[in-house]
Every structure is written in C-alpha cells, then in structure tokens.
C-alpha cells in the first residue's frame, strides 16, 4: 500500500514517531451479521496510539469505539487489517495471550472472590509466585486506596469502590495497555469528576498507555492527551483536546463537541480567506484535503465571538438579540442574524438587551469544515 | 409536654389493633395451609410410620407381619443366624449390595455431570429464543414410560444389538462384548434415565452466568481450562449441587433399571427391598432395609450440602 511506504519512510514525521507507537491499527474492518442485516462496525480504521499516552476514543453510541477496543483486547477478531502492539502483530492472539487488560463498563468483578483475590487474579493465572502476587496486590490496593477493604466480598462494595477494584485488577499484571470501556458511566456526577482526576493520576504514576472509550465529550477533553473522534465506524479526526475543540476539521466533530456556531461562507484567495454572508472577509483555516474554493461551512465557538455596536469597525456580522440565558459562569446570548440564521455568543458579562441590534466580532481566522 | 399522653394512647390502641389483625392473619394462614398439611401427613408421614413400625415386627409366613416385637430385621442386615444353634456370625452380603448400589449411583452421578455440564453450557450459550427448543429436546424422553425406554436400551446393548452388530461389522471385534446383565449395563441405564435431572438445574444456574465475567477472566490471562475451573464451575455450583442430589437419590433407589439391565442377578437396594415384599416374604426386613437406605441418604446429603455450601460460600 502506498500509505504504508509513506509511513515507513524515515524522512516523514510519522516515521520519526514510529518508535513511540504502542498500538498501530492498519486498515481494520469489522462487520457483524450477514446479508441485509450486515452492520459495518469498523470501516477501514487506521490509527496510531503512542506509548504512555491517555488516548480517548470519543463518539456517539454505535460509532464503533467499543468494537475497536474489543479488537485490541482480543474479544473480537478483525475481518481485515492488522493490529500491532509494540511492533508485534497481535490480531490473531486470544485475549489471554495479549499483554493488554480491560476495565469493563460493568466492572465484571468475580462475585465469588474477595477484593484481594480479584486483584491478584491476573497474576495468579499467569502462574506467578504467591509472594509476588501478595506484594503486587498490596501495592495495587494502596494505589487505589482500598487497603482496608482487601478481604471484603465484591458485592459489599459501593459503585465507586467496585470501580477502584476493577482498575486495580486490570493494572496489577502491569499490562502494556489498559483499555477502559466507559468505566465511569455508572457513577454519579460528583464521583465521576473525582474518578476522572484519579484515572489521570493513575496513568501518570503507572506510565501505562490508557485507551479510554467514552461518549462524554467533557470527560474526553478533561482527561485525554489525544482524542480520536469516531462516527459510523470511521475515525474522523485525531488530535489533542485543544486541537479537537478549537480546530474541528469535520462538521460532525464540531457539532459533537461543545456548542458551536456553524455559518455558511464562500472561499476566496485560493482558500486563504472566507467571505461571510454580511460581506466581511476573514482568514480561513483549511483542513487537509479540503477544496480551495466554493461554498463552505465555517465554525466559531460561542466564547470566541464578541458583541459590539452594529456599526463598529470589528462587527463582521449584525443581528438582533432574541434571548439571554444566565447559566452561572456566564451568559448565553442568542442572536438572530440579519442575513438569516441564529448564533450563540457566550460572555461572562454582558449589557446586551433582548431586542437590541448588535454587531458580532469574530476571530481573525476561522475554521473551515469538511462534511 | 401535653401532647405526649394522647400520642402514647394512640400508640397503644394501634399496637392492640395490629396484634388483633396479626392474630387473625395467623389463624387464617393455618386454615389455608390445612389441606396441604393433611395430604403431607396422610401420604408422607403416615406410610413412613407404618414402615418404621413394621421393621420392628416379625415376618408372617405368607407375607405381611405378625404383631410381635423383634429387632431381627436389623440384626439380619449385618449377621447370619445359624439355623441349628441360633448363633450370629457377621455377614457382609447386604452391606455389599448397599456398597455396590452407592458405587453405581455415585458413578451415574459423576457420569451425568460429565455429560450434562457441557450440554447445559451449550444450551445456555444459545440465543434465548432457541434455548426452549433444546430444553424440550432434553426432556423429550420423559414423554415415554421409563420401562419402555429401559427395554429400548436393552435392545441397543444386547449381544445382537446395534452396538455389538456395528462393532462386528466394522471388524473391530469378532465376538460380541457382553454388556447386558453387567454393572456396565446398569451404569449406562442409570445415566440415560437420570441425565435430564442433571441438565435442568445445571442449565438454570449457567443461564444466569454473566458471560462478561468469562470475558474478564480471559482478559486476565486465564486459559480456557482456567476460566472453567476458576469462574464457570464456582458460579454454577448451586446447579451442580442440585443436579447431583437429583440424580444420586433416585439412582440409589432405582428398581427397573437394575432389574431389566442387570437381569435380576446384579442386585441394587431397590431390588433387594422389592424382593423382601415379594418372593422372600420378609416384610420387616424390607422395611428395615428401606429405612437404613433413607438414613444413609439423609446423612450423606447433609454432609454433602454442608461441605459444598462452605466451599462455594453460598454465592452465585
């Protein structure tokens, strides 16, 4: 394949990073069912997950993120493509031969075993000496602050405690990669926030690569080093939380993460600028492979828009305030544009009045979206 | 405080009313239970009492009993009485029959566990809408009388039966292997008869098994055999205990299977007891043998359930 030789080429930036890659998935296809009921869960997915990073697969339910996780764990086998772990092909290995552990959404703790035995289970199955299992179990119990509950049965634990045991159990054998399948979804909000910080701490302390699956964009932005946004079996964009938030390349990515205003415009100057409906022209940030002319969608975050007088010099657009909603940390100002459509402006303080004519200030350069 | 007194008065009245209602409820409960209690008493406890009484009487010459107290039936179980000088000498004849029966019943229990466990696991891992069909197929043999089914087994394993004929036809043997009228024949017959009693409770607990736990164990480096040993079997323990009890008890007291497939030569306890009420005309000894069997079963079950309960922690 052409792309493969490109990646292996020592001159390209991808190749420079090749030693740092923990998981490399190449052209992975996975379908379920047959005939008319056939579902393509993963459609030619290629992705690199680096060593020692907190990598998040983010997307709505049914986008294939859990399937990708199960392929890495070995619960499913790919129809096509290969998965390399630390440079070695693992696509054909059963789960118990992969140095990869999973934290399950349901925790899946063994109800007939104590907390300590649950945590030591992986090492026990690997046939490690008893003394080593004991030391590692104690170490893990301390890591998740559960020392006092070592001899409890797992059904006597709260949800948050079960979560910690599940984490300790998966970390105890020191896997190369820890897979986390929406592990926080069963916890209440306060506990979830605590665990988000806790998970990030654990990842830092253990130095293990974490692959985290979630549909919660806020969770993804909070914890990840890098995020892959998925939809309908494809990875749409991979980047740091800041890149994903500030420069979404695809309309779906922009829409899925946070609030965003999407406006129509037309490219000018070979894609260097975009003409807004109001007649103002501003800089354009084009995603890779986008057309350099024609009508396009642009995305502006509500907090990156400013309110000014309608006749001010920096008023690129004009409109009328239709609603102002106070939400604690600030105000959401809804503005109906003169050219049609509505935008949302987020301001910490505002003296705007409903019904007033306002001008809208936009950033010097705006992100152009690909559908 | 002024409002304490009326409140305690209300409390007292409430308590009184509650006591009356509960008394009425209790009386009503006994009334509703009485038909069931009557049936259990009449058809459960009363025959048992007769058996107990008869085992301490003397045998009548033409069957039945003479109303003379005697412990001969229990003595006869362990000793031979010399016809001439009435001295007792130890005899293991009946103990051997007991031991053989327990051995065969245990063998049949283990055999049906080995066959039944994969069967139940297979059914439990099928999609929910197909499981009922498989369960129906498992229970299908019950639609035919046990006697007829045992005759069918007899036809299969006899010297001219399908097993021997096909083995001879393929040239593996040139003389039929005599299975019929041996312990092996009884063993096969017992497993065949009681296998569904093993499969059904095993299925019931395997069906509740959370297969995500199996995945979790695979993920934690457990091989297939280790998953079976450390996760599936412990979780299926209640089903294993129930299945073993349900197979062991009827197998121990089996009558038709050893009678037909053992040819009446290889006695099991069931045949021994039947013989006492028939040909041997020794009702007290038959009654005593039945009671001894009952005590043996009760003691071994208590030990078994205690032991397995402790192991499995009563969870799952």
């Amino acid at each position: 394949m052409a792309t493969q030789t490109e990646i292996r080429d020592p001159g390209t930036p991808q190749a420079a990073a090749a030693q740092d890659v923990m998981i490399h998935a190449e052209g992975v296809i996975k379908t379920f069912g047959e005939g008319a009921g056939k579902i393509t869960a993963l459609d030619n997915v290629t992705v690199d997950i680096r060593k020692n990073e907190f990598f998040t697969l983010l997307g709505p339910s049914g986008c294939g993120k859990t399937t990708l996780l199960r392929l890495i764990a070995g619960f499913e086998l790919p129809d096509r493509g290969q998965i390399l772990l630390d440079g070695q092909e693992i696509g054909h290995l059963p789960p118990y031969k992969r140095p990869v552990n999973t934290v399950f959404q349901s925790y899946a703790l063994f109800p007939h075993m104590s907390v300590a035995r649950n945590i030591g289970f992986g090492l026990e199955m690997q046939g490690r000496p008893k003394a080593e299992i004991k030391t590692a179990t104690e170490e893990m119990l301390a890591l998740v602050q559960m020392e006092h509950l070592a001899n409890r049965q797992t059904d006597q634990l709260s949800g948050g405690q079960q979560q910690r045991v599940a984490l300790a159990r998966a970390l105890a054998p020191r896997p190369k990669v820890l897979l986390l399948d929406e592990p926080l979804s069963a916890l209440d909000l306060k506990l979830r926030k605590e665990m988000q910080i806790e998970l990030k701490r654990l990842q830092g302390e253990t130095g293990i690569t974490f692959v985290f699956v979630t549909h919660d964009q806020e969770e993804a932005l909070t914890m990840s080093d890098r995020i892959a946004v998925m939809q309908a079996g494809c990875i749409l964009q991979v980047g740091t939380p800041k890149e994903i938030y500030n420069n979404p390349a695809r309309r779906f990515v922009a829409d899925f993460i946070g609030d965003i205003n999407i406006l129509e415009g037309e490219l000018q100057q070979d894609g260097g600028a975009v003409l807004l409906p109001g007649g103002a022209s501003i800089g354009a940030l084009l995603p890779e492979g986008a057309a350099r002319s024609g009508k396009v969608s642009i995305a502006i975050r509500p907090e990156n828009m400013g309110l000014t007088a309608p006749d001010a010099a920096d008023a690129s657009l004009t409109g009328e305030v239709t609603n102002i909603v106070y939400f604690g940390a600030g105000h959401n100002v809804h503005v109906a544009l003169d050219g049609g459509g509505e935008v949302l402006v987020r301001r910490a303080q505002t003296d705007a009045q409903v019904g007033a004519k306002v001008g809208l200030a936009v950033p010097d350069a705006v992100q152009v979206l690909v559908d | 405080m002024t409002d304490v007194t009326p409140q305690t008065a209300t409390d007292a009245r409430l308590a009184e009313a509650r006591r009356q209602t509960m008394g009425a409820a209790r009386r009503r409960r006994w009334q509703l239970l009485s038909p069931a209690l009557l049936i259990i008493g009449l058809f459960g406890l009363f025959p048992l009492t007769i058996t107990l009484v008869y085992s301490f009487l003397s045998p009548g010459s033409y069957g039945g009993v003479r109303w003379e107290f005697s412990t001969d039936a229990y003595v006869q179980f362990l000793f031979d009485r010399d016809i001439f000088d009435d001295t007792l000498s130890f005899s293991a004849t009946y103990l051997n029959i007991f031991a053989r029966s327990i051995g065969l019943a245990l063998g049949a229990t283990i055999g049906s566990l080995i066959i039944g466990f994969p069967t139940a696991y297979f059914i439990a891992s099928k999609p929910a809408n197909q499981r009922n069909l498989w369960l129906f197929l498992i229970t299908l043999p019950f639609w035919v009388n046990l006697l007829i089914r045992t005759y069918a087994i007899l036809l299969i394993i006899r010297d001219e039966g399908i097993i021997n004929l096909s083995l001879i036809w393929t040239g593996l043997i040139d003389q039929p292997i005599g299975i019929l009228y041996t312990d092996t024949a009884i063993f096969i017959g017992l497993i065949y008869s009681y296998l569904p009693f093993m499969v059904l409770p095993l299925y019931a607990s395997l069906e509740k098994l959370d297969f995500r736990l199996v995945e979790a164990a695979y993920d934690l480096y457990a091989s297939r055999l280790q998953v079976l040993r450390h996760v599936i079997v412990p979780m299926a323990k209640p089903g294993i205990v129930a299945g073993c009890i349900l197979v062991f008890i009827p197998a121990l007291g089996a009558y038709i299977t050893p009678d037909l497939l053992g040819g009446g030569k290889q006695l099991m306890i069931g045949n021994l007891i039947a013989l006492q009420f028939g040909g041997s005309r020794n009702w007290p000894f038959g009654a005593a043998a039945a009671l001894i069997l009952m005590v043996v079963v009760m003691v071994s079950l208590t030990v078994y359930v205690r032991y397995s309960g402790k192991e499995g922690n009563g969870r799952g």
Side-chain angles (χ1 to χ4, degrees):
Chain A
M1 261 193 280
T3 49
Q4 217 164 353
T5 46
E6 250 172 61
I7 289 168
R8 297 284 148 80
D9 179 4
T12 61
Q14 288 102 316
Q19 287 90 33
D20 300 333
V21 172
M22 180 56 90
I23 293 173
H24 173 70
E26 177 83 41
V28 173
I29 297 177
K30 178 71 190 173
T31 56
F32 294 106
E34 307 240 320
K38 188 166 157 177
I39 298 161
T40 305
L42 290 175
D43 191 1
N44 200 9
V45 166
T46 297
V47 66
D48 279 333
I49 299 171
R50 295 175 193 150
K51 281 177 184 163
N52 194 14
E53 81 172 333
F54 198 120
F55 191 86
T56 298
L57 298 169
L58 174 66
S61 53
C63 71
K65 56 193 192 296
T66 297
T67 305
L68 183 54
L69 199 75
R70 290 175 61 82
L71 282 168
I72 298 171
F75 299 132
E76 314 277 355
L77 297 177
D79 298 344
R80 285 244 192 101
Q82 50 179 346
I83 299 169
L84 272 69
L85 178 81
D86 211 1
Q88 291 196 311
E89 164 75 42
I90 56 160
H92 60 284
L93 291 177
Y96 54 90
K97 288 192 178 153
R98 300 185 185 202
V100 166
N101 289 139
T102 309
V103 177
F104 295 87
Q105 189 171 13
S106 63
Y107 312 143
L109 299 177
F110 303 120
H112 57 291
M113 294 178 196
S114 69
V115 167
R117 176 117 197 269
N118 260 285
I119 294 174
F121 189 82
L123 295 164
E124 190 187 328
M125 292 302 109
Q126 284 180 321
R128 302 280 181 83
K130 279 217 167 73
E132 188 193 329
I133 297 174
K134 193 163 178 287
T135 322
T137 304
E138 277 163 9
E139 203 179 301
M140 285 300 142
L141 280 166
L143 190 67
V144 296
Q145 294 144 30
M146 293 276 294
E147 297 101 319
H148 55 296
L149 297 171
N151 296 316
R152 286 277 182 89
Q153 290 291 322
T154 54
D155 52 8
Q156 296 170 310
L157 303 177
S158 70
Q161 289 169 335
Q162 289 189 19
Q163 170 74 80
R164 284 162 189 274
V165 176
L167 265 168
R169 185 180 70 174
L171 283 170
R174 297 269 162 191
K176 284 187 172 169
V177 177
L178 185 75
L179 306 174
L180 302 107
D181 185 9
E182 306 211 21
L184 307 182
S185 59
L187 304 178
D188 63 56
L189 186 66
K190 191 161 173 290
L191 204 53
R192 196 155 64 214
K193 298 263 181 209
E194 273 175 40
M195 284 308 294
Q196 286 176 6
I197 296 164
E198 181 84 12
L199 274 177
K200 191 76 187 151
R201 176 182 72 85
L202 284 173
Q203 198 261 330
E205 280 181 25
T206 56
I208 291 171
T209 306
F210 277 32
V211 181
F212 187 89
V213 159
T214 185
H215 62 264
D216 184 333
Q217 39 109 359
E218 197 194 320
E219 207 165 271
L221 293 173
T222 311
M223 300 198 291
S224 318
D225 293 324
R226 288 196 308 148
I227 299 171
V229 183
M230 293 185 71
Q231 186 214 7
C234 297
I235 291 180
L236 299 183
Q237 190 177 0
V238 181
T240 64
K242 276 186 184 154
E243 284 166 3
I244 295 279
Y245 187 81
N246 291 326
N247 306 99
R250 307 284 292 262
R251 181 187 277 268
F252 179 84
V253 178
D255 239 354
F256 190 70
I257 294 169
D259 292 322
I260 201 155
N261 297 305
I262 296 177
L263 301 169
E264 303 307 315
E266 196 171 345
L267 285 173
Q268 294 176 316
Q269 304 164 17
D270 192 29
V274 62
L275 182 72
L276 295 181
S281 177
I282 48 175
L285 301 169
L286 282 181
E288 258 178 80
R292 311 195 73 85
S293 62
K295 292 208 178 294
V296 288
S297 298
I298 59 160
I300 310 172
R301 293 283 172 196
E303 61 272 24
N304 293 340
M305 279 187 145
L307 292 171
T308 59
D311 50 1
D314 58 350
S316 304
L317 296 158
T318 54
E320 190 184 310
V321 177
T322 55
N323 200 3
I324 301 173
V325 180
Y326 175 65
F327 64 92
H331 300 77
N332 280 335
V333 183
H334 296 260
V335 178
L337 295 178
D338 287 341
E342 201 196 64
V343 294
L344 179 66
V345 181
R346 189 163 295 153
R347 299 274 84 185
Q349 297 294 329
T350 183
D351 48 9
Q353 300 290 321
V354 174
K357 278 280 187 187
V358 288
L360 295 164
V362 297
D364 294 339
V366 292
Q367 183 67 38
V368 173
L369 301 174
V370 179
D371 276 329
Chain B
M1 289 206 237
T2 46
D3 58 359
V4 166
T5 330
Q7 206 164 350
T8 38
T10 323
D11 279 356
R13 241 180 301 149
L14 252 173
E16 170 66 13
R18 191 174 293 140
R19 209 173 49 77
Q20 277 177 5
T21 327
M22 279 177 56
R26 199 173 299 133
R27 274 195 299 283
R28 199 170 158 68
R29 200 183 308 156
W30 281 110
Q31 280 167 14
L32 288 171
L33 262 177
S34 58
L37 288 175
L38 203 69
I39 289 169
I40 292 170
L42 196 63
F43 297 110
L45 292 177
F46 190 49
L48 208 58
T49 317
I50 296 177
T51 314
L52 184 67
V53 171
Y54 272 28
S55 73
F56 286 104
L57 296 176
S58 306
S61 309
Y62 304 101
V65 286
R66 277 183 295 125
W67 285 85
E68 281 169 28
F69 177 79
S70 159
T71 55
D72 266 6
Y74 292 92
V75 173
Q76 191 188 345
F77 188 75
L78 286 176
F79 300 98
D80 257 347
R81 192 181 288 280
D82 196 292
I83 339 171
F84 300 110
D85 56 9
D86 248 19
T87 52
L88 294 170
S89 56
F90 179 75
S91 153
T93 317
Y94 300 121
L95 273 186
N96 279 339
I97 294 175
F98 260 68
R100 255 171 37 81
S101 303
I102 291 171
L104 275 169
L106 270 180
T109 308
I110 293 163
S112 22
L113 182 62
I114 290 168
I115 302 170
F117 198 92
T119 313
Y121 192 85
F122 170 81
I123 300 174
S125 60
K126 287 272 138 192
N129 55 351
Q130 289 175 27
R131 291 182 198 158
N132 281 341
L133 175 69
W134 287 103
L135 287 178
F136 168 73
L137 291 176
I138 288 288
T139 49
L140 196 62
F142 280 148
W143 293 37
V144 177
N145 185 290
L146 177 63
L147 190 64
I148 308 298
R149 280 186 287 142
T150 310
Y151 269 118
I153 288 282
L154 190 147
L155 289 178
I156 292 169
I157 62 175
R158 65 180 175 155
D159 287 358
E160 301 80 28
I162 189 164
I163 292 181
N164 274 311
L165 284 184
S166 53
L167 281 177
I168 291 172
W169 185 74
T170 54
L172 282 168
I173 52 168
D174 38 78
Q175 287 292 313
I177 34 169
I179 310 171
L180 196 56
Y181 307 138
T182 63
D183 279 357
T184 315
I186 301 178
F187 180 68
I188 293 171
L190 288 177
I191 290 183
Y192 169 73
S193 307
Y194 300 117
L195 188 61
F197 292 128
M198 182 62 86
V199 174
L200 294 177
L202 276 179
Y203 165 76
S205 54
L206 283 175
E207 184 227 19
K208 281 181 287 182
L209 179 77
D210 186 349
F211 278 91
R212 287 173 297 190
L213 295 178
V214 175
E215 270 190 356
Y218 275 134
D219 188 59
L220 292 159
Y221 313 111
S223 63
R224 282 164 215 284
L225 214 63
Q226 284 175 316
V227 171
L228 184 70
R229 200 178 128 213
H230 294 289
V231 178
I232 300 174
V233 167
M235 303 292 282
K237 201 135 203 177
I240 296 173
V241 171
C244 286
I245 292 173
L246 285 179
V247 171
F248 180 72
I249 294 178
L252 188 59
Y255 169 69
I256 291 178
T257 312
D259 197 49
L260 290 181
L261 301 179
K265 288 184 296 182
Q266 311 289 334
L267 282 186
M268 280 181 73
I269 306 169
N271 311 95
L272 176 70
I273 295 170
L275 199 60
Q276 303 313 314
F277 289 93
S280 297
R281 290 190 193 135
N282 193 343
W283 287 25
F285 183 62
L291 284 173
I292 292 168
L293 174 65
M294 199 180 93
V295 170
V296 167
V297 168
M298 274 170 67
V299 169
S300 52
L301 272 192
T302 315
V303 171
Y304 174 58
V305 170
R306 244 272 168 101
Y307 170 74
S308 53
K310 213 174 271 169
E311 273 280 286
N313 248 327
R315 278 162 207 285

Coordinates of all heavy atoms in Angstrom, one line a residue, chain B residues 9-34:
Chain B
A9 N -51.4 7.0 74.0 CA -52.7 6.3 74.0 C -53.0 5.8 72.6 O -53.4 4.7 72.4 CB -53.8 7.3 74.4
T10 N -52.7 6.7 71.5 CA -52.9 6.3 70.2 C -52.0 5.1 69.8 O -52.4 4.1 69.2 CB -52.6 7.4 69.2 OG1 -53.1 8.6 69.8 CG2 -53.3 7.2 67.9
D11 N -50.8 5.2 70.3 CA -49.8 4.1 70.0 C -50.3 2.8 70.6 O -50.2 1.8 69.9 CB -48.5 4.5 70.7 CG -47.7 5.4 69.8 OD1 -48.2 5.7 68.7 OD2 -46.6 5.9 70.2
A12 N -50.8 2.8 71.8 CA -51.3 1.6 72.5 C -52.4 1.0 71.7 O -52.5 -0.2 71.4 CB -51.7 1.9 73.9
R13 N -53.4 1.9 71.3 CA -54.5 1.4 70.5 C -54.1 0.8 69.2 O -54.5 -0.2 68.7 CB -55.5 2.6 70.3 CG -56.9 2.3 70.9 CD -57.8 3.5 70.6 NE -57.3 4.7 71.2 CZ -57.5 5.9 70.6 NH1 -58.3 6.0 69.5 NH2 -57.0 7.0 71.2
L14 N -53.1 1.5 68.6 CA -52.6 1.0 67.3 C -52.0 -0.4 67.5 O -52.2 -1.3 66.7 CB -51.5 1.9 66.8 CG -51.8 2.8 65.6 CD1 -50.7 3.8 65.3 CD2 -52.0 1.9 64.3
A15 N -51.2 -0.5 68.5 CA -50.5 -1.8 68.8 C -51.5 -2.9 69.0 O -51.4 -4.0 68.5 CB -49.6 -1.7 70.0
E16 N -52.6 -2.6 69.8 CA -53.6 -3.6 70.0 C -54.3 -4.0 68.7 O -54.5 -5.2 68.5 CB -54.7 -2.9 71.0 CG -56.0 -3.7 71.2 CD -55.7 -5.1 71.9 OE1 -54.6 -5.3 72.4 OE2 -56.6 -5.9 71.9
A17 N -54.6 -3.0 67.9 CA -55.3 -3.3 66.6 C -54.4 -4.2 65.8 O -54.8 -5.1 65.1 CB -55.6 -2.0 65.9
R18 N -53.1 -3.8 65.8 CA -52.2 -4.6 65.0 C -52.1 -6.1 65.4 O -52.1 -7.0 64.6 CB -50.8 -3.9 65.0 CG -49.8 -4.5 64.0 CD -48.5 -3.7 64.0 NE -48.7 -2.4 63.5 CZ -48.1 -1.3 64.0 NH1 -47.2 -1.5 65.1 NH2 -48.3 -0.1 63.6
R19 N -52.1 -6.2 66.8 CA -52.0 -7.5 67.4 C -53.2 -8.4 67.0 O -53.1 -9.5 66.6 CB -51.9 -7.4 68.9 CG -51.2 -8.6 69.6 CD -51.0 -8.3 71.1 NE -52.3 -7.9 71.7 CZ -53.2 -8.8 72.0 NH1 -53.1 -10.0 71.8 NH2 -54.4 -8.4 72.6
Q20 N -54.4 -7.8 67.0 CA -55.6 -8.5 66.6 C -55.6 -8.9 65.1 O -55.8 -10.0 64.8 CB -56.8 -7.6 66.9 CG -57.3 -7.6 68.3 CD -58.5 -6.7 68.5 OE1 -59.0 -6.1 67.6 NE2 -58.9 -6.6 69.8
T21 N -55.2 -7.9 64.3 CA -55.1 -8.2 62.9 C -54.1 -9.4 62.6 O -54.4 -10.3 61.8 CB -54.6 -7.0 62.1 OG1 -55.1 -5.8 62.7 CG2 -55.1 -7.1 60.6
M22 N -53.0 -9.3 63.3 CA -52.0 -10.4 63.1 C -52.4 -11.7 63.6 O -52.1 -12.7 62.9 CB -50.6 -10.0 63.7 CG -49.9 -9.0 62.8 SD -48.4 -8.4 63.4 CE -47.4 -9.8 63.8
G23 N -53.2 -11.7 64.7 CA -53.7 -13.0 65.2 C -54.7 -13.6 64.2 O -54.6 -14.8 63.9
A24 N -55.5 -12.7 63.6 CA -56.5 -13.2 62.6 C -55.7 -13.7 61.4 O -56.1 -14.8 60.9 CB -57.4 -12.1 62.2
A25 N -54.7 -13.0 61.0 CA -53.9 -13.4 59.8 C -53.3 -14.8 60.1 O -53.2 -15.6 59.2 CB -52.8 -12.4 59.5
R26 N -52.8 -15.0 61.3 CA -52.1 -16.3 61.6 C -53.1 -17.4 61.6 O -52.8 -18.5 61.0 CB -51.5 -16.2 63.0 CG -50.4 -17.2 63.2 CD -49.7 -17.0 64.5 NE -49.0 -15.7 64.5 CZ -49.0 -14.9 65.6 NH1 -49.8 -15.2 66.6 NH2 -48.4 -13.7 65.5
R27 N -54.3 -17.2 62.2 CA -55.4 -18.2 62.1 C -55.7 -18.6 60.7 O -55.8 -19.7 60.3 CB -56.6 -17.8 62.9 CG -56.6 -18.0 64.4 CD -58.0 -17.9 65.0 NE -58.5 -16.5 64.8 CZ -58.1 -15.5 65.6 NH1 -57.2 -15.6 66.5 NH2 -58.7 -14.3 65.3
R28 N -55.9 -17.5 59.9 CA -56.3 -17.7 58.5 C -55.2 -18.5 57.8 O -55.5 -19.4 56.9 CB -56.4 -16.3 57.9 CG -57.2 -16.3 56.6 CD -57.5 -14.9 56.2 NE -57.8 -14.9 54.8 CZ -58.9 -15.5 54.2 NH1 -59.8 -16.0 55.0 NH2 -59.1 -15.4 52.9
R29 N -53.9 -18.2 58.1 CA -52.8 -18.9 57.4 C -52.9 -20.4 57.7 O -52.7 -21.2 56.8 CB -51.5 -18.3 57.9 CG -50.3 -18.6 57.0 CD -49.0 -18.1 57.5 NE -49.1 -16.7 57.9 CZ -48.3 -16.2 58.8 NH1 -47.4 -16.9 59.5 NH2 -48.3 -14.9 59.2
W30 N -53.1 -20.8 58.9 CA -53.2 -22.2 59.2 C -54.4 -22.9 58.5 O -54.3 -24.0 58.0 CB -53.4 -22.4 60.8 CG -52.0 -22.3 61.4 CD1 -51.6 -21.3 62.2 CD2 -50.9 -23.2 61.3 NE1 -50.3 -21.5 62.6 CE2 -49.9 -22.7 62.1 CE3 -50.7 -24.4 60.6 CZ2 -48.6 -23.3 62.2 CZ3 -49.5 -25.0 60.7 CH2 -48.5 -24.5 61.5
Q31 N -55.5 -22.1 58.5 CA -56.7 -22.7 57.8 C -56.4 -23.0 56.3 O -56.7 -24.0 55.8 CB -57.9 -21.7 57.8 CG -58.6 -21.7 59.1 CD -59.5 -20.5 59.3 OE1 -59.8 -19.8 58.3 NE2 -60.0 -20.2 60.5
L32 N -55.7 -22.0 55.7 CA -55.4 -22.2 54.2 C -54.3 -23.3 54.0 O -54.3 -23.9 53.0 CB -54.9 -20.9 53.7 CG -55.9 -19.8 53.5 CD1 -55.3 -18.5 53.1 CD2 -56.9 -20.2 52.4
L33 N -53.5 -23.5 55.0 CA -52.4 -24.5 54.9 C -52.9 -25.9 55.1 O -52.3 -26.9 54.7 CB -51.3 -24.2 55.9 CG -50.1 -23.4 55.3 CD1 -49.1 -23.2 56.4 CD2 -49.4 -24.2 54.2
S34 N -54.1 -26.0 55.9 CA -54.5 -27.3 56.4 C -54.7 -28.4 55.3 O -54.3 -29.5 55.5 CB -55.8 -27.1 57.2 OG -56.8 -26.6 56.4

